[in-house]
Structures are given as C-alpha cells and as structure tokens.
Amino acid sequence: MIVFLFLIREHGNTYFDTIRNRDVEKNKLLEAYGYSLNDDLKGKFEFVFKDGKPFLRVLDSRIKRINTITDTNKPVPVPQKQETETAVETETETVQPLLRLGFVINFNKKAYPFFSIEAISGEPNDDQNGFAGRVEVLDVSRYVDPSAYTEADNSLLNTIRKVQDTEINKYISRNTPFNDIRENMALPEGDEIPAETKQLVNEYLIPRLKKLVADAGENALAFLIQKGKKFITQNIEHIDVFAEPADTQFYVDTQNDDEYSFDCLVKLRGMVHGVEENESTSPILFIYNHQLYLYPNADVVSLAEQFLPGGRITISKEHWPEKLHNFILPLAKDFKVDFDSSMVQTVKSAVPEVKLFLVEKGDYLLFRPMFTYNGYEAKDGGNVMLIPEGDKVLSIQRNKPIEDAFIQRLKNLHSNFTETEEGNTLALKGSDVIKDNWFFLFVDAMKEMLVPVFGFEALHNFRFNTAKPQTRIFISSNTDWFDAKIDIMFGDQKVTVAEVKRALAAKQQFVQLNDGSLGILPDEWLKKYALLFRVGEGNTNKLKLSHYHRSVIDELYELK
C-alpha cells in the first residue's frame, strides 16, 4: 500500500493508466499519419496521457496527417467500432503542442552571487529557438508535470532546482565549521559576506552552471533580466550560451617610470577582452555582447575578481620585486602571462645541462632528469621559463627536442621502465636494476653521455657501489688440498670470503660493503667464481679445496 501511495504522489492519479497495454489505441492514433508501433518512432511521435486517455504528440513538424483510403472489398465495420475510431481521431486533433523549457538569469538579487535562475515554459516557435506565445514562470519548488516536456528539458529542470538558494545554503551549512547560517536563512545583502563563504558559493555553483549550459543544449532558450528591471516579457533579453570556458590571461607592462600595470584579460572564442568588459553584475558569470561564458573553476573566479572593477592592478616600483616573485611568476605556471617586449630579455636555442637524480620509492628506483638553462633549473613542464632579473624578466625557451631525446635514450636502456605521474620521471623495479648487469650498463651509459648521476648517498635499499668487483686469486698446493687466497675489492671496499658465501647461499646478487653501500656481483662474475665459493671451505680470505676439485682451478685458469 505504501508503494502505491508513493507512486500516486510522485506521478499523479493517472500513473497506473500509463502502464496499461494501450497498443490498440496507440496504433489507431498513428494510423492517421501512416505509422504504426512497428515503425521507428524516435524523434517523430510521443505518447502522453491525460485524464486516463492516450494522446499523440507530433515531434517532427514535417509529418502531416494523411487521408485514409477506404477499401470497398473489406466488410463495413459495425457502427459501434466506427464510433470508437471517430473518438480516437478526435482525441488526436485536440493534442496541445509540446512545451519547451527555458531559463532566465535574473540580476535583481541583492545578495551574492547577485543573480538567480528562474525557469520559464511556453510553446516553442517553428525553429525551436524561442517562444511563440505566452510564457509562464514555473515555481520549481513545486511539482511540475514531466510529461509536458522532453527528457532533455526535464533534466534542465532538475539542474535549475539545484541552483536555488535553498540548495546553496545547504552546501554552505555542510561545509562551514560552526556555521551560524541556517539552511533556510538567506545570505546577507551586498558584499558583506566572508571570503570563505563566497568561495563556497562559487565552488557549488560553477559545476552546476556548467551542467545547466550543457542541459540547455545548442538551441538553449536562455534569457536575462538586467538589474533594476521588472520580471515582465518585454524586459527579457535573449542570450547565447557557450560551453567553451572563458580563458583567463594576463598582460604586464610599465605604466610609467614608477609603476607597473598588471591587466587581467579573458579570451572568448578567439577574441580577447578586458575582464572589466563583463556585462554581468556577478563575477561568476562572464557576459559579453549577450553571450554567456563560464570560468573553469572557483579559483579563477576569485582571481579575476581581484582585478575588478577596472580590470587592472597597479604595482609600485617599490613592491614590484615582491609581486613579481610571489604573485605574477607563480601565475605563469597555470596561465598565459605576457610581458611587454621592453621588459623581457629572451633566450632562444639554449642547450640544457642534463643531470639525473636517483630516488627510491618503495620497491622502485626512480630516475628523475633535471635540465638546467643558464644556471636555472626547469622545474615544470612549460615551454618557457620566466626568471626575474632586477626590474626585468629573463624568458628562456626550453629546448624540448634535446630534453625529449635524452628521456627517450634513458627509456631505451630497459624495457621495463614505466612512466610516473611526475612527468619525465621513470621508474624501475629494484630486482630489474641488478639483473643481467643492468646497473653497470646504466652507469656506463650515463658516463658515455656525460650525464652526472646524483642521489647515491641518499639511497637506502638501492645504495649501489658503482665499482665492479676486482678479484685476485693466489693458489698454493699441498699434499691433499689446494689453498686459494682470494682478494675481492669494490673500489676501496674489501669483501671477505664469508660475506660472498652468505650472499650466494641466500641467492643474492649483492654483498653489503663496510661503507653501507651494496656491491653488485655481476652475472659474468657469478658464472666464473660461484662454483669456487660453493665447493671451497673457508671463512676469511682463504678457501681450501680438495684435489678432487682440481678441475675448478683448471677452469679458472682457462677463463683467466
């Protein structure tokens, strides 16, 4: 019973009539246009129910009623059947035109964000880009019959509901600690709200306004009412909406001998305008020439608002170095920042100095290239480096072909290299680093490319000694055995026989050296000496071998 009551409350008293099998009646309605339920009806017709009866809406204006030709060979239908057909045809003729939904941006709101979104409904014109007659303002807080609108318009209606004050206040209440604004309390009028609250409003509205634009589609029925004008038909102005975001840019110039100018610009579909040219009274919306654009996110809105109302920040010569370091150059990492040519010294076709840093991360060893131009490190992925030099800016164009060529050569050294989220950084599993002498191949390759490698001393699990093992064996013969004195050196680090035997027993390819680094036992070394250490007995720097193992010694001489 609860389910039935819920369905009636949500969909109306005639909901159960809509789920009955009405195929016979639907086919009768379609016959008037030469169609049946077996045809593809998408975009052509739509069935709606009013007062428990099915009605047919024609969605495609090109479809017209046809004159049905009577077949004289068929038996004449009984009068009762004829009356039913006549009644069905009459119902088709009384179907009302399909309604369209639009929205109005009303700039008469006195509290931030200084606009509200109203839903309007009416008959569309033939081109579906405006209303043909009377327009009605919908109360979106109440139930609206969804059968009167298309699926797209119903989605738009739900989005309009999401940008009402009640929903905005709920979001603020949930995300403000010790909030004294209740969900049903309006924001104070004017700009007298905390910056944190204003940021929350922006964070909530922008993604939902983007969805509003997307739901409205290409033929959006979008309008605005200027501040101070009444909500009447003659005051509604049509606007075009664009999903393409407003691209924020900046321009820096010398205003005079004592000041610098920092302008905020907005690029709209290839044309650049000053942020002060915004026709909207709200900083969230950018309207120019009755065209609506949205900023990418809330942070960009807050940034652009700093330049209002004039669109420019004037910086004194005294504060220029601090503003350049802490405000302008950080913006250049995420936005296009152009400087007047008189302020810039440009460096082109520079050859970078390449360094490689090793960093361990879990089971992986990271290989992080660093490119330096004129003594300045390139720390981000941009193509241009901006460096402050006094009251001017050094602009260095990075040599991307050289950088990419080095990264590719590094990547070619091992097939198991994986790229990381850090851009040019590559990762290799520790087991792959010491396998098949790869580490020494890597060190030799860096020496050949004249690329210094840093970070060995900071490694813990992968602190490899770059020296290859140097092995000297002195054999002396006794009656029943041979004595083999063995010296193994990794650079200036000496390894005992016992340490090598422990590594081989543990199936490790490295030994711990006295300085804390790891000495790698290459595959070629293991093939040559592993059997000697397995069959010999000893713990320091000597091994004792039976005469039965003479073949091992003979083989060492052959491999010498």
Side-chain angles (χ1 to χ4, degrees), residues 17 68 105 121 146 215 217 229 256 299 426 448 553:
D17 291 327
T68 306
I105 303 174
S121 173
D215 289 343
K229 293 190 176 182
N256 51 54
D299 292 335
L426 301 177
E448 181 182 343
I553 298 174

Side-chain angles (χ1 to χ4, degrees), residues 468-486:
K468 295 181 180 180
Q470 301 297 321
T471 306
R472 293 187 299 172
I473 301 177
F474 304 93
I475 303 292
S476 60
S477 177
N478 291 288
T479 306
D480 297 322
W481 67 86
F482 295 98
D483 284 326
K485 181 184 178 184
I486 304 176

Side-chain angles (χ1 to χ4, degrees), residues 226-450:
Q226 300 286 1
K227 182 179 179 181
K229 293 190 176 182
K230 293 182 179 180
F231 199 151
I232 55 179
T233 304
Q234 54 263 40
N235 290 336
I236 295 178
E237 303 174 26
H238 184 271
I239 60 173
D240 296 318
V241 298
F242 295 92
E244 178 183 348
D247 182 16
T248 308
Q249 305 177 358
F250 300 91
Y251 183 76
V252 186
D253 195 3
T254 52
Q255 187 163 321
N256 51 54
D257 293 339
D258 299 319
E259 293 178 322
Y260 297 87
S261 61
F262 188 29
D263 295 348
C264 180
L265 309 173
V266 179
K267 188 175 182 180
L268 310 174
R269 309 188 78 191
M271 300 296 292
V272 178
H273 308 273
V275 70
E276 74 279 4
E277 297 180 59
N278 188 2
E279 298 169 1
S280 164
T281 56
S282 172
I284 295 181
L285 309 175
F286 196 97
I287 299 177
Y288 183 82
N289 195 23
H290 283 69
Q291 295 177 343
L292 170 66
Y293 299 85
L294 298 173
Y295 289 105
N297 52 57
D299 292 335
V300 178
V301 173
S302 301
L303 176 61
E305 195 174 6
Q306 297 180 45
F307 291 81
L308 296 176
R312 170 177 294 181
I313 294 177
T314 300
I315 305 171
S316 66
K317 197 168 186 178
E318 178 186 358
H319 295 103
W320 170 251
E322 185 268 334
K323 287 290 186 181
L324 180 63
H325 280 79
N326 300 330
F327 185 35
I328 298 177
L329 292 183
L331 282 180
K333 296 179 181 179
D334 300 313
F335 301 91
K336 182 182 179 182
V337 179
D338 290 328
F339 292 81
D340 186 75
S341 58
S342 63
M343 303 180 61
V344 179
Q345 178 186 350
T346 304
V347 177
K348 297 181 179 180
S349 304
V351 178
E353 177 188 354
V354 185
K355 302 175 184 177
L356 189 65
F357 290 83
L358 302 181
V359 180
E360 61 184 19
K361 188 175 182 180
D363 295 334
Y364 286 85
L365 186 63
L366 304 184
F367 298 75
R368 185 174 295 156
M370 178 65 71
F371 304 101
T372 305
Y373 293 84
N374 290 26
Y376 298 103
E377 295 179 349
K379 296 183 178 180
D380 54 57
N383 292 324
V384 178
M385 300 167 54
L386 298 176
I387 312 297
E389 284 197 345
D391 59 348
K392 295 186 180 297
V393 175
L394 178 64
S395 176
I396 303 176
Q397 293 190 6
R398 294 173 63 175
N399 198 325
K400 283 291 189 177
I402 290 181
E403 294 183 19
D404 295 340
F406 170 76
I407 295 171
Q408 189 59 49
R409 290 184 67 181
L410 177 62
K411 190 183 297 185
N412 291 341
L413 293 178
H414 205 295
S415 59
N416 289 340
F417 264 130
T418 58
E419 297 180 358
T420 67
E421 297 179 354
E422 301 178 33
N424 295 330
T425 301
L426 301 177
L428 188 62
K429 208 163 187 179
S431 57
D432 291 327
V433 173
I434 61 176
K435 188 177 181 181
D436 297 330
N437 303 331
W438 184 86
F439 180 75
F440 293 113
L441 295 174
F442 158 73
V443 172
D444 291 342
M446 293 302 102
K447 289 179 180 178
E448 181 182 343
M449 286 188 272
L450 303 178

Side-chain angles (χ1 to χ4, degrees), residues 3 25 112 124 264 545:
V3 175
E25 296 171 70
Y112 192 82
C264 180
L545 294 93

